[in-house]
Each structure stands twice: as C-alpha cells, then as structure tokens.
Amino acid sequence: MRKSPEQDVFDWFFKLSLNNGYDTYDYLPPEKEKVSYPFVYIGNVQGVPDATKTELVGSVYLNIDVWGTRKQRLTINQMVERFFHASIGYTKTPNFQYYGQPNQQSKRMQLDTSVPNTVLMRGLLEIKLNIL
C-alpha cells in the first residue's frame, strides 16, 4: 500500500531537513531533553481530500517550526526561507506530484518565552501543497 499524501509530504520535508544538516524532530523536545539550537520541528499535517472519478486530488497542509536562540535570528530566517522556496512550484515524490503557489505559503518569525527564563526565536512556516 502506498503512503497517504499527508505522510508523503511529511516524509519529503523531513528528509529535506536532514539532507540540509538540520537537527530535525517529529515532536517538540521537552525542556529536560537537552537539544542544540537551532533545530527543526516538523509537526502538524492535514489533508483536505477531493476526488475526481479516477484520482485523488486535494491539498496537504504542513507546519514546520524552526527554533533557536535570539542571537540565531538570521540563521533561523535562512532555514525558514529554504523550506519556503522548497514548497513553491512542482514537487514530485515516488507516490504523488504536488504544486505549491507562493501566495498559499505563510511564514513568520516570533519571540517565544514558553521556556522559563529563556527567550527563543521561532520561525513558523505553514505550507500548502495541492495534490496533482
């Protein structure tokens, strides 16, 4: 059985992150688990299927967070940009083909104080890919 479009997109971006040398997680590491900054968290994925008489179409949404220290803002921004540009245009995997339009992607940078006595920089990217 082949992968679902959601798992396919998740795996493609996870592999892209690893291939770029980023520490990459499929969960947000707890505070007591010591990790190096910056790191990538590839998390929430959602499929919105549609179908024709002969094939599956629709969209896949994926959230990617890049976490680092305040001083790593430029590095985090560059990492977010790499994922942003990878989400634009045609993406072909062994299972499906996708298309991402620039105006369907969302990115932002924000300070995060959810860890006590720590100010982190967080880059957030929301990706939408249309299944072709």
Side-chain angles (χ1 to χ4, degrees):
M1 184 169 160
R2 78 178 183 178
K3 293 179 187 178
S4 69
E6 298 82 19
Q7 189 64 48
D8 195 45
V9 168
F10 179 93
D11 290 348
W12 193 88
F13 278 95
F14 200 91
K15 184 176 179 182
L16 173 70
S17 185
L18 292 174
N19 287 344
N20 278 286
Y22 303 148
D23 291 338
T24 307
Y25 299 89
D26 60 355
Y27 63 96
L28 194 54
E31 183 183 355
K32 63 184 172 192
E33 185 176 328
K34 298 299 180 196
V35 297
S36 321
Y37 293 106
F39 69 83
V40 176
Y41 163 53
I42 299 181
N44 299 327
V45 63
Q46 176 186 0
V48 181
D50 197 6
T52 67
K53 290 181 180 180
T54 59
E55 62 188 352
L56 173 68
V57 294
S59 301
V60 176
Y61 296 83
L62 178 70
N63 292 346
I64 299 175
D65 293 358
V66 181
W67 291 84
T69 66
R70 265 188 340 200
K71 294 181 180 183
Q72 294 173 320
R73 182 184 185 100
L74 177 60
T75 301
I76 294 165
N77 180 266
Q78 291 168 338
M79 293 167 73
V80 167
E81 285 297 309
R82 184 163 284 138
F83 289 115
F84 173 75
H85 287 284
S87 69
I88 297 171
Y90 290 98
T91 301
K92 185 173 175 131
T93 70
N95 300 298
F96 296 96
Q97 186 168 328
Y98 308 93
Y99 185 76
Q101 297 178 340
N103 64 339
Q104 293 179 324
Q105 318 312 321
S106 171
K107 56 185 174 171
R108 69 180 184 267
M109 301 284 289
Q110 68 183 38
L111 289 174
D112 185 277
T113 57
S114 61
V115 177
N117 304 315
T118 307
V119 178
L120 298 172
M121 181 59 61
R122 180 180 180 196
L124 298 95
L125 183 63
E126 297 173 350
I127 293 170
K128 177 185 178 187
L129 297 177
N130 297 313
I131 305 166
L132 301 178

